[in-house]
C-alpha cells in the first residue's frame, strides 16, 4: 500500500517536471507589424527582423502595414486575439495609439516600439523603444550643411511622412541648428512620404513651377533624395554641384550617388534592429527589466569617404 502511494507521488513529480521543461521550451511567439515597404531602409529593417527571428527559432507573425495606421491597429488587435507573447511595431505616425495599446495592456501583452516613437502620455503602454535619435540626425545634417555652405544657403526641404516621428524630429533638429545661421533659409518644405517616386514627383513639380531657386537640399531620407536627383538631372541641374544635397539613412544607393558626385552627405539611421529587438523580447519573456529607450549606434558619411565605405555597407 505504502509502496503504491510512493509510486504515485513519484509519477506526479515526474509529470510536474516534464510540464515545467515543456513550458520553458515552448516557442516564443511574437507579432510584428511594420510600417510598409516605402524605402530601402525599411526593406533592410524588415529583413533584419525576419532573419533574426528565424535564427533564434522564434515564431514571428509578420504584417506589412502598407503605410496605413488602420492596418497597423487591425494587426495589433489580431495579435492580441492570437495571444502572442510580445507585440512589436513601428508606428507609421506618432498619434492615435492609446486605445489599442491599452487593449494590449489589459490582455497583459507587452509591447516594444521599434524604430519610431508614439506620442502617448501614458508610457506604461509600452516596455521600451529601440531606435535612433532622429533629432540628433536632423542636427547632424544641419551642421554638415552649414559647414559646407559656409553658413549661407537657400534650402529645399523634402520631408518624410507627415506626423511620423522621424519627420517631426529631423525637422526639429535641423531647425534648431538653423537658428544659429541667419543666412541659411528654408525656402520650401514639402513631403515626399519617404519614397523615391514622391521625392521625384515633388521636385519635378517644384522646378516646373518655380525654377531652380535653391542651392541646397535637405532630404529626410536617401530614397527621396535619389528621386529628387533624377528630377534635377531631367531639368538640367547638376545635383551635388549646383545643388548641395544632404540626406538621412546611409543606404548603399546613397554611397553610389556620392561616388558619382550627385549626393554630398548622408547621415546614418541604422535599420539593423533585429538583434536588439529579439534581445528585448527574450529579456521580457525571462521577466527582466529593460530601459525605456534602447539607442542605436550611427555615424555621418560625407562624399569623401563613400568609395572606402561602400564595400562594407550592409544595406
Ligand atoms: O523611421 C525611419 C525612416 O523611415 C527612414 O529614415 C526612412 O527611410 C523610413 O522610411
Amino acid at each position: 500500500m505504502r509502496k503504491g502511494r510512493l509510486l504515485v507521488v513519484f509519477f506526479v513529480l515526474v509529470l510536474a517536471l516534464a510540464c515545467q521543461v515543456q513550458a520553458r521550451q515552448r516557442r516564443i511567439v511574437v507579432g510584428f507589424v511594420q510600417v510598409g515597404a516605402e524605402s530601402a531602409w525599411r526593406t533592410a529593417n524588415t529583413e533584419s527582423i525576419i532573419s533574426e527571428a528565424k535564427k533564434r527559432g522564434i515564431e514571428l507573425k509578420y504584417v506589412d502595414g502598407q503605410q496605413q495606421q488602420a492596418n497597423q491597429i487591425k494587426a495589433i488587435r489580431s495579435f492580441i486575439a492570437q495571444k502572442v507573447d510580445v507585440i512589436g511595431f513601428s508606428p507609421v505616425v506618432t498619434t492615435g495609439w492609446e486605445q489599442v495599446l491599452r487593449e494590449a495592456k489589459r490582455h497583459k501583452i507587452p509591447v516594444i516600439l521599434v524604430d519610431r516613437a508614439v506620442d502617448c502620455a501614458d508610457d506604461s503602454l509600452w516596455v521600451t523603444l529601440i531606435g535612433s535619435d532622429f533629432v540628433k540626425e536632423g542636427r547632424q545634417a544641419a551642421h554638415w550643411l552649414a559647414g559646407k555652405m559656409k553658413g549661407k544657403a537657400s534650402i529645399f526641404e523634402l520631408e518624410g511622412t507627415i506626423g511620423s516621428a522621424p519627420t517631426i524630429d529631423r525637422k526639429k533638429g535641423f531647425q534648431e541648428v538653423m537658428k544659429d545661421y541667419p543666412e541659411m533659409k528654408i525656402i520650401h518644405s514639402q513631403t515626399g512620404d519617404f519614397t523615391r517616386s514622391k521625392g521625384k514627383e515633388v521636385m519635378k513639380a517644384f522646378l516646373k513651377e518655380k525654377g531652380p531657386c535653391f542651392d541646397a537640399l535637405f532630404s529626410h531620407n536617401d530614397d527621396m533624395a535619389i528621386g529628387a536627383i533624377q528630377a534635377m538631372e531631367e531639368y538640367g541641374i547638376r545635383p551635388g554641384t549646383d545643388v548641395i544635397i544632404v540626406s538621412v539613412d546611409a543606404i548603399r544607393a546613397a554611397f553610389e550617388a556620392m561616388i558619382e558626385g550627385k549626393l554630398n552627405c548622408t547621415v546614418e539611421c541604422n535599420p539593423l534592429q533585429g538583434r536588439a529587438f529579439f534581445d528585448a523580447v527574450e529579456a521580457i519573456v525571462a521577466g527582466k527589466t529593460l530601459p525605456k529607450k534602447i539607442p542605436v549606434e550611427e555615424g555621418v558619411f560625407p562624399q569623401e569617404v563613400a568609395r572606402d565605405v561602400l564595400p562594407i555597407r550592409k544595406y
Side-chain angles (χ1 to χ4, degrees), residues 240-272:
T241 305
D242 300 331
V243 175
I244 299 301
I245 306 172
V246 59
S247 60
V248 186
D249 276 357
I251 58 170
R252 286 182 65 86
F255 285 83
E256 284 155 7
M258 286 197 285
I259 291 167
E260 288 171 22
K262 297 177 182 177
L263 183 86
N264 306 91
C265 181
T266 183
V267 175
E268 188 175 33
C269 179
N270 188 350
L272 308 177

PDB file of all heavy atoms in Angstrom, residues 240-272:
ATOM      1  N   GLY A 240      24.510  67.787 -56.568  1.00  0.00           N
ATOM      2  CA  GLY A 240      25.822  67.558 -55.947  1.00  0.00           C
ATOM      3  C   GLY A 240      26.804  68.668 -56.272  1.00  0.00           C
ATOM      4  O   GLY A 240      27.822  68.813 -55.596  1.00  0.00           O
ATOM      5  N   THR A 241      26.509  69.464 -57.318  1.00  0.00           N
ATOM      6  CA  THR A 241      27.379  70.591 -57.703  1.00  0.00           C
ATOM      7  C   THR A 241      26.570  71.899 -57.659  1.00  0.00           C
ATOM      8  O   THR A 241      26.868  72.789 -56.870  1.00  0.00           O
ATOM      9  CB  THR A 241      27.956  70.370 -59.124  1.00  0.00           C
ATOM     10  OG1 THR A 241      28.616  69.104 -59.136  1.00  0.00           O
ATOM     11  CG2 THR A 241      28.939  71.464 -59.506  1.00  0.00           C
ATOM     12  N   ASP A 242      25.519  71.975 -58.484  1.00  0.00           N
ATOM     13  CA  ASP A 242      24.679  73.191 -58.469  1.00  0.00           C
ATOM     14  C   ASP A 242      23.839  73.223 -57.195  1.00  0.00           C
ATOM     15  O   ASP A 242      23.543  74.293 -56.665  1.00  0.00           O
ATOM     16  CB  ASP A 242      23.725  73.192 -59.677  1.00  0.00           C
ATOM     17  CG  ASP A 242      24.481  73.163 -60.994  1.00  0.00           C
ATOM     18  OD1 ASP A 242      25.614  73.683 -61.031  1.00  0.00           O
ATOM     19  OD2 ASP A 242      23.950  72.599 -61.968  1.00  0.00           O
ATOM     20  N   VAL A 243      23.423  72.053 -56.776  1.00  0.00           N
ATOM     21  CA  VAL A 243      22.642  71.941 -55.529  1.00  0.00           C
ATOM     22  C   VAL A 243      23.378  70.954 -54.609  1.00  0.00           C
ATOM     23  O   VAL A 243      23.652  69.815 -54.997  1.00  0.00           O
ATOM     24  CB  VAL A 243      21.207  71.430 -55.805  1.00  0.00           C
ATOM     25  CG1 VAL A 243      20.454  71.209 -54.503  1.00  0.00           C
ATOM     26  CG2 VAL A 243      20.439  72.410 -56.697  1.00  0.00           C
ATOM     27  N   ILE A 244      23.721  71.418 -53.426  1.00  0.00           N
ATOM     28  CA  ILE A 244      24.410  70.558 -52.445  1.00  0.00           C
ATOM     29  C   ILE A 244      23.336  69.768 -51.676  1.00  0.00           C
ATOM     30  O   ILE A 244      22.355  70.341 -51.201  1.00  0.00           O
ATOM     31  CB  ILE A 244      25.264  71.422 -51.478  1.00  0.00           C
ATOM     32  CG1 ILE A 244      26.345  72.187 -52.265  1.00  0.00           C
ATOM     33  CG2 ILE A 244      25.885  70.585 -50.361  1.00  0.00           C
ATOM     34  CD1 ILE A 244      27.324  71.317 -53.056  1.00  0.00           C
ATOM     35  N   ILE A 245      23.555  68.447 -51.598  1.00  0.00           N
ATOM     36  CA  ILE A 245      22.492  67.592 -51.030  1.00  0.00           C
ATOM     37  C   ILE A 245      22.958  66.800 -49.806  1.00  0.00           C
ATOM     38  O   ILE A 245      23.965  66.090 -49.856  1.00  0.00           O
ATOM     39  CB  ILE A 245      21.975  66.601 -52.104  1.00  0.00           C
ATOM     40  CG1 ILE A 245      21.550  67.389 -53.367  1.00  0.00           C
ATOM     41  CG2 ILE A 245      20.810  65.773 -51.563  1.00  0.00           C
ATOM     42  CD1 ILE A 245      21.199  66.504 -54.549  1.00  0.00           C
ATOM     43  N   VAL A 246      22.177  66.912 -48.743  1.00  0.00           N
ATOM     44  CA  VAL A 246      22.400  66.090 -47.551  1.00  0.00           C
ATOM     45  C   VAL A 246      21.104  65.348 -47.266  1.00  0.00           C
ATOM     46  O   VAL A 246      20.016  65.909 -47.355  1.00  0.00           O
ATOM     47  CB  VAL A 246      22.864  66.934 -46.329  1.00  0.00           C
ATOM     48  CG1 VAL A 246      21.864  68.010 -45.945  1.00  0.00           C
ATOM     49  CG2 VAL A 246      23.153  66.040 -45.122  1.00  0.00           C
ATOM     50  N   SER A 247      21.235  64.048 -46.971  1.00  0.00           N
ATOM     51  CA  SER A 247      20.026  63.270 -46.655  1.00  0.00           C
ATOM     52  C   SER A 247      20.328  62.307 -45.509  1.00  0.00           C
ATOM     53  O   SER A 247      21.435  62.309 -44.964  1.00  0.00           O
ATOM     54  CB  SER A 247      19.524  62.533 -47.898  1.00  0.00           C
ATOM     55  OG  SER A 247      20.503  61.660 -48.385  1.00  0.00           O
ATOM     56  N   VAL A 248      19.342  61.512 -45.150  1.00  0.00           N
ATOM     57  CA  VAL A 248      19.465  60.635 -43.976  1.00  0.00           C
ATOM     58  C   VAL A 248      19.196  59.183 -44.368  1.00  0.00           C
ATOM     59  O   VAL A 248      18.353  58.924 -45.235  1.00  0.00           O
ATOM     60  CB  VAL A 248      18.447  61.052 -42.875  1.00  0.00           C
ATOM     61  CG1 VAL A 248      18.665  60.239 -41.594  1.00  0.00           C
ATOM     62  CG2 VAL A 248      18.527  62.536 -42.570  1.00  0.00           C
ATOM     63  N   ASP A 249      19.882  58.264 -43.735  1.00  0.00           N
ATOM     64  CA  ASP A 249      19.730  56.800 -43.808  1.00  0.00           C
ATOM     65  C   ASP A 249      21.067  56.086 -44.028  1.00  0.00           C
ATOM     66  O   ASP A 249      21.351  55.110 -43.385  1.00  0.00           O
ATOM     67  CB  ASP A 249      18.742  56.313 -44.894  1.00  0.00           C
ATOM     68  CG  ASP A 249      17.286  56.330 -44.433  1.00  0.00           C
ATOM     69  OD1 ASP A 249      17.041  56.660 -43.261  1.00  0.00           O
ATOM     70  OD2 ASP A 249      16.402  56.040 -45.253  1.00  0.00           O
ATOM     71  N   ALA A 250      21.819  56.575 -45.053  1.00  0.00           N
ATOM     72  CA  ALA A 250      23.089  55.925 -45.411  1.00  0.00           C
ATOM     73  C   ALA A 250      22.880  54.535 -46.003  1.00  0.00           C
ATOM     74  O   ALA A 250      23.544  53.556 -45.612  1.00  0.00           O
ATOM     75  CB  ALA A 250      24.059  55.890 -44.227  1.00  0.00           C
ATOM     76  N   ILE A 251      21.957  54.438 -46.948  1.00  0.00           N
ATOM     77  CA  ILE A 251      21.768  53.172 -47.686  1.00  0.00           C
ATOM     78  C   ILE A 251      22.842  53.076 -48.778  1.00  0.00           C
ATOM     79  O   ILE A 251      23.447  54.085 -49.156  1.00  0.00           O
ATOM     80  CB  ILE A 251      20.349  53.082 -48.325  1.00  0.00           C
ATOM     81  CG1 ILE A 251      20.086  54.267 -49.282  1.00  0.00           C
ATOM     82  CG2 ILE A 251      19.275  53.003 -47.255  1.00  0.00           C
ATOM     83  CD1 ILE A 251      18.828  54.131 -50.122  1.00  0.00           C
ATOM     84  N   ARG A 252      23.039  51.904 -49.303  1.00  0.00           N
ATOM     85  CA  ARG A 252      24.083  51.693 -50.325  1.00  0.00           C
ATOM     86  C   ARG A 252      23.894  52.629 -51.531  1.00  0.00           C
ATOM     87  O   ARG A 252      24.859  53.188 -52.044  1.00  0.00           O
ATOM     88  CB  ARG A 252      24.072  50.239 -50.800  1.00  0.00           C
ATOM     89  CG  ARG A 252      24.665  49.270 -49.789  1.00  0.00           C
ATOM     90  CD  ARG A 252      24.665  47.851 -50.350  1.00  0.00           C
ATOM     91  NE  ARG A 252      25.544  47.747 -51.502  1.00  0.00           N
ATOM     92  CZ  ARG A 252      26.853  47.515 -51.442  1.00  0.00           C
ATOM     93  NH1 ARG A 252      27.423  47.331 -50.270  1.00  0.00           N
ATOM     94  NH2 ARG A 252      27.580  47.444 -52.535  1.00  0.00           N
ATOM     95  N   ALA A 253      22.645  52.812 -51.958  1.00  0.00           N
ATOM     96  CA  ALA A 253      22.387  53.664 -53.133  1.00  0.00           C
ATOM     97  C   ALA A 253      22.869  55.099 -52.890  1.00  0.00           C
ATOM     98  O   ALA A 253      23.262  55.789 -53.842  1.00  0.00           O
ATOM     99  CB  ALA A 253      20.898  53.652 -53.463  1.00  0.00           C
ATOM    100  N   ALA A 254      22.853  55.544 -51.644  1.00  0.00           N
ATOM    101  CA  ALA A 254      23.332  56.895 -51.331  1.00  0.00           C
ATOM    102  C   ALA A 254      24.846  56.958 -51.532  1.00  0.00           C
ATOM    103  O   ALA A 254      25.389  57.952 -52.039  1.00  0.00           O
ATOM    104  CB  ALA A 254      22.976  57.271 -49.903  1.00  0.00           C
ATOM    105  N   PHE A 255      25.547  55.882 -51.161  1.00  0.00           N
ATOM    106  CA  PHE A 255      27.004  55.835 -51.341  1.00  0.00           C
ATOM    107  C   PHE A 255      27.341  55.827 -52.834  1.00  0.00           C
ATOM    108  O   PHE A 255      28.278  56.479 -53.270  1.00  0.00           O
ATOM    109  CB  PHE A 255      27.596  54.619 -50.627  1.00  0.00           C
ATOM    110  CG  PHE A 255      27.646  54.828 -49.135  1.00  0.00           C
ATOM    111  CD1 PHE A 255      26.534  54.602 -48.343  1.00  0.00           C
ATOM    112  CD2 PHE A 255      28.809  55.290 -48.530  1.00  0.00           C
ATOM    113  CE1 PHE A 255      26.565  54.835 -46.984  1.00  0.00           C
ATOM    114  CE2 PHE A 255      28.850  55.519 -47.167  1.00  0.00           C
ATOM    115  CZ  PHE A 255      27.729  55.292 -46.394  1.00  0.00           C
ATOM    116  N   GLU A 256      26.543  55.088 -53.608  1.00  0.00           N
ATOM    117  CA  GLU A 256      26.766  55.055 -55.067  1.00  0.00           C
ATOM    118  C   GLU A 256      26.563  56.451 -55.652  1.00  0.00           C
ATOM    119  O   GLU A 256      27.348  56.916 -56.469  1.00  0.00           O
ATOM    120  CB  GLU A 256      25.820  54.026 -55.718  1.00  0.00           C
ATOM    121  CG  GLU A 256      26.296  52.595 -55.487  1.00  0.00           C
ATOM    122  CD  GLU A 256      25.189  51.542 -55.555  1.00  0.00           C
ATOM    123  OE1 GLU A 256      24.052  51.888 -55.911  1.00  0.00           O
ATOM    124  OE2 GLU A 256      25.483  50.375 -55.230  1.00  0.00           O
ATOM    125  N   ALA A 257      25.505  57.135 -55.189  1.00  0.00           N
ATOM    126  CA  ALA A 257      25.242  58.505 -55.679  1.00  0.00           C
ATOM    127  C   ALA A 257      26.377  59.448 -55.271  1.00  0.00           C
ATOM    128  O   ALA A 257      26.759  60.334 -56.043  1.00  0.00           O
ATOM    129  CB  ALA A 257      23.906  59.003 -55.133  1.00  0.00           C
ATOM    130  N   MET A 258      26.935  59.250 -54.089  1.00  0.00           N
ATOM    131  CA  MET A 258      28.041  60.110 -53.635  1.00  0.00           C
ATOM    132  C   MET A 258      29.277  59.868 -54.498  1.00  0.00           C
ATOM    133  O   MET A 258      29.969  60.807 -54.879  1.00  0.00           O
ATOM    134  CB  MET A 258      28.346  59.866 -52.155  1.00  0.00           C
ATOM    135  CG  MET A 258      27.290  60.470 -51.233  1.00  0.00           C
ATOM    136  SD  MET A 258      27.815  60.634 -49.513  1.00  0.00           S
ATOM    137  CE  MET A 258      27.734  58.957 -48.946  1.00  0.00           C
ATOM    138  N   ILE A 259      29.524  58.593 -54.825  1.00  0.00           N
ATOM    139  CA  ILE A 259      30.686  58.267 -55.663  1.00  0.00           C
ATOM    140  C   ILE A 259      30.530  58.912 -57.046  1.00  0.00           C
ATOM    141  O   ILE A 259      31.485  59.412 -57.623  1.00  0.00           O
ATOM    142  CB  ILE A 259      30.890  56.730 -55.743  1.00  0.00           C
ATOM    143  CG1 ILE A 259      31.336  56.215 -54.363  1.00  0.00           C
ATOM    144  CG2 ILE A 259      31.909  56.353 -56.823  1.00  0.00           C
ATOM    145  CD1 ILE A 259      31.281  54.716 -54.186  1.00  0.00           C
ATOM    146  N   GLU A 260      29.285  58.959 -57.531  1.00  0.00           N
ATOM    147  CA  GLU A 260      29.020  59.606 -58.832  1.00  0.00           C
ATOM    148  C   GLU A 260      29.009  61.124 -58.728  1.00  0.00           C
ATOM    149  O   GLU A 260      28.809  61.824 -59.722  1.00  0.00           O
ATOM    150  CB  GLU A 260      27.658  59.135 -59.376  1.00  0.00           C
ATOM    151  CG  GLU A 260      27.659  57.703 -59.868  1.00  0.00           C
ATOM    152  CD  GLU A 260      26.234  57.223 -60.195  1.00  0.00           C
ATOM    153  OE1 GLU A 260      25.339  58.052 -60.439  1.00  0.00           O
ATOM    154  OE2 GLU A 260      26.032  56.009 -60.183  1.00  0.00           O
ATOM    155  N   GLY A 261      29.149  61.642 -57.502  1.00  0.00           N
ATOM    156  CA  GLY A 261      29.187  63.099 -57.298  1.00  0.00           C
ATOM    157  C   GLY A 261      27.821  63.764 -57.269  1.00  0.00           C
ATOM    158  O   GLY A 261      27.718  64.988 -57.352  1.00  0.00           O
ATOM    159  N   LYS A 262      26.763  62.964 -57.104  1.00  0.00           N
ATOM    160  CA  LYS A 262      25.414  63.543 -57.185  1.00  0.00           C
ATOM    161  C   LYS A 262      24.790  63.826 -55.818  1.00  0.00           C
ATOM    162  O   LYS A 262      23.741  64.450 -55.712  1.00  0.00           O
ATOM    163  CB  LYS A 262      24.499  62.597 -57.971  1.00  0.00           C
ATOM    164  CG  LYS A 262      24.945  62.419 -59.412  1.00  0.00           C
ATOM    165  CD  LYS A 262      24.070  61.422 -60.133  1.00  0.00           C
ATOM    166  CE  LYS A 262      24.573  61.233 -61.558  1.00  0.00           C
ATOM    167  NZ  LYS A 262      23.798  60.229 -62.275  1.00  0.00           N
ATOM    168  N   LEU A 263      25.369  63.271 -54.784  1.00  0.00           N
ATOM    169  CA  LEU A 263      24.893  63.478 -53.409  1.00  0.00           C
ATOM    170  C   LEU A 263      26.127  63.842 -52.594  1.00  0.00           C
ATOM    171  O   LEU A 263      27.228  63.361 -52.887  1.00  0.00           O
ATOM    172  CB  LEU A 263      24.260  62.166 -52.898  1.00  0.00           C
ATOM    173  CG  LEU A 263      23.630  62.177 -51.518  1.00  0.00           C
ATOM    174  CD1 LEU A 263      22.187  62.665 -51.612  1.00  0.00           C
ATOM    175  CD2 LEU A 263      23.613  60.789 -50.890  1.00  0.00           C
ATOM    176  N   ASN A 264      25.972  64.688 -51.569  1.00  0.00           N
ATOM    177  CA  ASN A 264      27.166  65.182 -50.876  1.00  0.00           C
ATOM    178  C   ASN A 264      27.379  64.615 -49.480  1.00  0.00           C
ATOM    179  O   ASN A 264      28.515  64.550 -49.011  1.00  0.00           O
ATOM    180  CB  ASN A 264      27.117  66.710 -50.812  1.00  0.00           C
ATOM    181  CG  ASN A 264      26.939  67.314 -52.187  1.00  0.00           C
ATOM    182  OD1 ASN A 264      25.824  67.548 -52.631  1.00  0.00           O
ATOM    183  ND2 ASN A 264      28.033  67.494 -52.912  1.00  0.00           N
ATOM    184  N   CYS A 265      26.303  64.226 -48.815  1.00  0.00           N
ATOM    185  CA  CYS A 265      26.482  63.676 -47.459  1.00  0.00           C
ATOM    186  C   CYS A 265      25.243  62.890 -47.054  1.00  0.00           C
ATOM    187  O   CYS A 265      24.128  63.253 -47.416  1.00  0.00           O
ATOM    188  CB  CYS A 265      26.689  64.832 -46.474  1.00  0.00           C
ATOM    189  SG  CYS A 265      26.948  64.306 -44.761  1.00  0.00           S
ATOM    190  N   THR A 266      25.456  61.797 -46.326  1.00  0.00           N
ATOM    191  CA  THR A 266      24.310  61.076 -45.767  1.00  0.00           C
ATOM    192  C   THR A 266      24.553  60.805 -44.281  1.00  0.00           C
ATOM    193  O   THR A 266      25.660  60.431 -43.887  1.00  0.00           O
ATOM    194  CB  THR A 266      23.988  59.774 -46.551  1.00  0.00           C
ATOM    195  OG1 THR A 266      22.823  59.172 -45.976  1.00  0.00           O
ATOM    196  CG2 THR A 266      25.126  58.762 -46.538  1.00  0.00           C
ATOM    197  N   VAL A 267      23.524  61.056 -43.496  1.00  0.00           N
ATOM    198  CA  VAL A 267      23.587  60.850 -42.044  1.00  0.00           C
ATOM    199  C   VAL A 267      22.984  59.479 -41.776  1.00  0.00           C
ATOM    200  O   VAL A 267      21.870  59.192 -42.216  1.00  0.00           O
ATOM    201  CB  VAL A 267      22.773  61.951 -41.315  1.00  0.00           C
ATOM    202  CG1 VAL A 267      22.713  61.683 -39.816  1.00  0.00           C
ATOM    203  CG2 VAL A 267      23.354  63.327 -41.592  1.00  0.00           C
ATOM    204  N   GLU A 268      23.698  58.666 -41.037  1.00  0.00           N
ATOM    205  CA  GLU A 268      23.240  57.287 -40.859  1.00  0.00           C
ATOM    206  C   GLU A 268      22.025  57.170 -39.923  1.00  0.00           C
ATOM    207  O   GLU A 268      21.955  57.825 -38.884  1.00  0.00           O
ATOM    208  CB  GLU A 268      24.378  56.435 -40.292  1.00  0.00           C
ATOM    209  CG  GLU A 268      24.041  54.957 -40.267  1.00  0.00           C
ATOM    210  CD  GLU A 268      25.218  54.108 -39.808  1.00  0.00           C
ATOM    211  OE1 GLU A 268      26.000  54.583 -38.959  1.00  0.00           O
ATOM    212  OE2 GLU A 268      25.338  52.980 -40.284  1.00  0.00           O
ATOM    213  N   CYS A 269      21.099  56.297 -40.343  1.00  0.00           N
ATOM    214  CA  CYS A 269      19.988  55.871 -39.480  1.00  0.00           C
ATOM    215  C   CYS A 269      20.024  54.345 -39.613  1.00  0.00           C
ATOM    216  O   CYS A 269      19.725  53.806 -40.673  1.00  0.00           O
ATOM    217  CB  CYS A 269      18.676  56.452 -39.998  1.00  0.00           C
ATOM    218  SG  CYS A 269      17.249  55.954 -39.034  1.00  0.00           S
ATOM    219  N   ASN A 270      20.413  53.670 -38.558  1.00  0.00           N
ATOM    220  CA  ASN A 270      20.703  52.234 -38.673  1.00  0.00           C
ATOM    221  C   ASN A 270      19.436  51.365 -38.606  1.00  0.00           C
ATOM    222  O   ASN A 270      18.774  51.309 -37.570  1.00  0.00           O
ATOM    223  CB  ASN A 270      21.673  51.854 -37.549  1.00  0.00           C
ATOM    224  CG  ASN A 270      22.196  50.444 -37.693  1.00  0.00           C
ATOM    225  OD1 ASN A 270      21.705  49.677 -38.528  1.00  0.00           O
ATOM    226  ND2 ASN A 270      23.173  50.097 -36.884  1.00  0.00           N
ATOM    227  N   PRO A 271      19.108  50.643 -39.693  1.00  0.00           N
ATOM    228  CA  PRO A 271      17.890  49.819 -39.683  1.00  0.00           C
ATOM    229  C   PRO A 271      18.096  48.405 -39.122  1.00  0.00           C
ATOM    230  O   PRO A 271      17.135  47.645 -38.977  1.00  0.00           O
ATOM    231  CB  PRO A 271      17.546  49.730 -41.174  1.00  0.00           C
ATOM    232  CG  PRO A 271      18.871  49.771 -41.858  1.00  0.00           C
ATOM    233  CD  PRO A 271      19.792  50.593 -41.008  1.00  0.00           C
ATOM    234  N   LEU A 272      19.335  48.046 -38.828  1.00  0.00           N
ATOM    235  CA  LEU A 272      19.605  46.658 -38.426  1.00  0.00           C
ATOM    236  C   LEU A 272      19.258  46.466 -36.942  1.00  0.00           C
ATOM    237  O   LEU A 272      20.131  46.390 -36.081  1.00  0.00           O
ATOM    238  CB  LEU A 272      21.066  46.302 -38.737  1.00  0.00           C
ATOM    239  CG  LEU A 272      21.486  46.600 -40.190  1.00  0.00           C
ATOM    240  CD1 LEU A 272      22.951  46.290 -40.420  1.00  0.00           C
ATOM    241  CD2 LEU A 272      20.608  45.838 -41.193  1.00  0.00           C
TER     242      LEU A 272
END
